């Protein structure tokens, strides 16, 4: 388990443009099967290559909701409280193709996530964290924004 | 088959209740690589003031996609699920979801827009407790790709 933030973020100590953190997430086909089972989204484009190609995709792609759900963990750990994320939205701009690396230690794709303070609302006591999410050098999410309620 | 433009404005009333189980929250948290202890450990969740383990911010997608399934399965909709691509998603939490919640979802088809040979469909699920307390509002836009899109 990751440690919670030692000190919860305080609105008065934040400013727009401040980076809250960054991380890389390795993704495998096995992760997509796990997400399919956990979420109930069994669309075969996320686990069957032939099917994905037949519907004119480059191959198996990650669930957009997997990418969205994994990317926000940077914000949850920074806030120190999963329930502090009161609003979270994104657009899915580019698919994330995940190569079949079964039987190796290699990831099938890597997500790179950077979070910065996009806006502060002193009255509502919230911070909007803007996430930059890229894979293989391409932005895969746009307008990925999480609104966090601060103490 | 073309998307039925008359879908816009349609409301699907809540179907069966979704029982939020502790193990489902843990399973979903692992699946999105969440590490916060409040997803896994009841004591950790209670120390933050929650009654039980708390769901990750995108957990409500399970309830929302069950509601969306009613629309996709509706023979009048004309949606080919294999050509559906998720375009946009938003979660607004009126309060966090915790284990033990019993949730219902009312699905609203807010917008149907023709795009090339396909269509962009925006749905909104109003998720509430069985007692009627508002829990979350989720908005999804899906692109149903036409041939060659």
């Amino acid at each position: 388990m990751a440690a919670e933030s030692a000190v919860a973020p305080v609105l008065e100590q934040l400013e727009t443009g401040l980076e809250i953190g960054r991380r890389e997430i390795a993704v495998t086909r096995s992760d997509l099967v796990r997400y399919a089972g956990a979420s109930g989204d069994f669309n075969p484009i996320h686990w069957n290559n032939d099917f994905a190609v037949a519907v004119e995709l480059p191959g198996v792609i990650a669930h957009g909701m997997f990418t969205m759900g994994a990317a926000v963990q940077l914000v949850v750990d920074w806030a120190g409280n999963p329930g502090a994320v009161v609003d979270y939205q994104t657009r899915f701009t580019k698919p994330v193709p995940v190569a079949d690396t079964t039987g190796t230690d290699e990831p099938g794709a890597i997500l790179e996530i950077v979070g910065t303070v996009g806006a502060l609302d002193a009255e509502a006591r919230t911070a909007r964290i803007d996430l930059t999410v890229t894979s293989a050098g391409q932005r895969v999410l746009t307008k990925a924004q999480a609104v966090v309620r601060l103490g | 088959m073309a998307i039925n433009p008359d879908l816009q404005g349609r409301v699907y009333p809540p179907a069966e209740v979704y029982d939020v189980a502790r193990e489902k929250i843990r399973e979903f948290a692992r699946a999105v690589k969440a590490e916060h202890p409040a997803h896994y450990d009841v004591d950790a969740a209670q120390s933050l003031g929650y009654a039980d383990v708390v769901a990750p911010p995108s957990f409500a997608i399970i309830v929302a996609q069950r509601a969306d399934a009613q629309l996709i399965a509706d023979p009048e909709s004309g949606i080919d699920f294999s050509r559906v691509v998720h375009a946009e998603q938003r979660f607004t939490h009126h309060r966090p979801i915790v284990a033990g919640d019993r949730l219902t979802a009312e699905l609203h088809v807010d917008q149907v827009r023709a795009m090339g040979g396909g269509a962009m469909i925006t749905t909104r699920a109003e998720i509430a407790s069985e007692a009627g307390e508002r829990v979350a509002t989720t908005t999804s836009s899906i692109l149903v790709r036409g041939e060659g899109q």
Side-chain angles (χ1 to χ4, degrees):
Chain A
M1 299 291 122
E4 289 174 44
S5 309
V7 180
V10 176
L11 189 129
E12 283 71 20
Q13 292 170 2
L14 301 177
E15 55 185 64
T16 306
L18 179 76
E19 183 179 310
I20 64 151
R22 55 177 64 211
R23 67 174 58 162
E24 285 192 358
I25 299 177
V27 187
T28 63
R29 290 281 178 92
S30 165
D31 289 327
L32 304 188
V33 172
R34 183 191 295 262
Y35 185 79
S39 68
D41 182 346
F42 290 100
N43 191 328
I45 62 175
H46 304 303
W47 50 269
N48 185 302
N49 208 67
D50 291 346
F51 188 93
V53 170
V55 294
E56 298 153 52
L57 291 168
V60 163
I61 60 169
H63 301 74
M65 283 309 308
F66 167 80
T67 304
M68 185 184 193
V72 78
Q73 297 311 318
L74 176 70
V75 181
V76 168
D77 293 336
W78 171 76
N81 183 347
V85 179
V86 293
D87 195 285
Y88 181 35
Q89 66 177 312
T90 194
R91 289 184 192 143
F92 305 99
T93 328
K94 293 274 181 200
V96 178
V98 179
D100 189 356
T101 54
T102 308
T104 75
D105 293 331
E106 295 298 308
I110 294 174
L111 299 172
E112 292 175 66
I113 296 139
V114 182
T116 51
V117 177
L120 294 166
D121 186 333
E123 207 162 297
R125 298 206 60 79
T126 56
R128 194 190 81 211
I129 305 302
D130 295 348
L131 293 169
T132 305
V133 182
T134 54
S135 187
Q138 286 207 303
R139 279 190 82 146
V140 295
L141 302 183
T142 52
K143 211 187 166 210
Q145 301 178 342
V147 177
V148 179
R149 183 171 290 140
L150 301 169
Chain B
M1 183 175 166
I3 304 302
N4 178 359
D6 298 338
L7 291 176
Q8 186 166 308
R10 196 168 287 197
V11 178
Y12 293 83
E16 50 192 293
V17 168
Y18 183 86
D19 264 309
V20 180
R22 207 179 265 172
E23 290 299 346
K24 191 67 190 182
I25 286 182
R26 291 172 178 148
E27 180 191 4
F28 189 88
R30 277 185 210 104
V32 293
K33 300 180 182 268
E35 296 183 336
H36 197 285
H39 300 308
Y40 300 99
D41 181 63
V42 179
D43 289 340
Q46 288 180 342
S47 74
L48 288 173
Y50 301 112
D52 209 315
V53 292
V54 63
S58 63
F59 182 87
I61 197 67
I62 298 175
V63 184
Q65 287 187 340
R66 283 183 174 217
D68 274 336
Q70 294 177 89
L71 168 67
I72 290 165
D74 187 337
E76 289 178 29
S77 77
I79 298 171
D80 175 356
F81 186 56
S82 74
R83 303 198 67 84
V84 166
V85 175
H86 203 169
E88 292 183 31
Q89 182 64 41
R90 181 171 191 171
F91 299 91
T92 302
H93 293 284
H94 310 301
R95 69 149 170 87
I97 295 172
V98 297
D101 276 337
R102 288 173 54 79
L103 303 176
T104 65
E106 182 179 73
L107 187 76
H108 298 253
V109 183
D110 281 345
Q111 197 177 49
V112 177
R113 217 156 28 104
M115 286 189 71
M120 183 79 88
I121 303 174
T122 302
T123 59
R124 169 170 50 92
E126 294 291 351
I127 299 174
S129 72
E130 215 175 6
E133 179 197 7
R134 293 179 80 207
V135 175
T137 302
T138 67
T139 310
S140 303
S141 295
I142 57 169
L143 175 66
V144 187
R145 297 181 304 148
E147 291 301 320
Q149 270 188 304

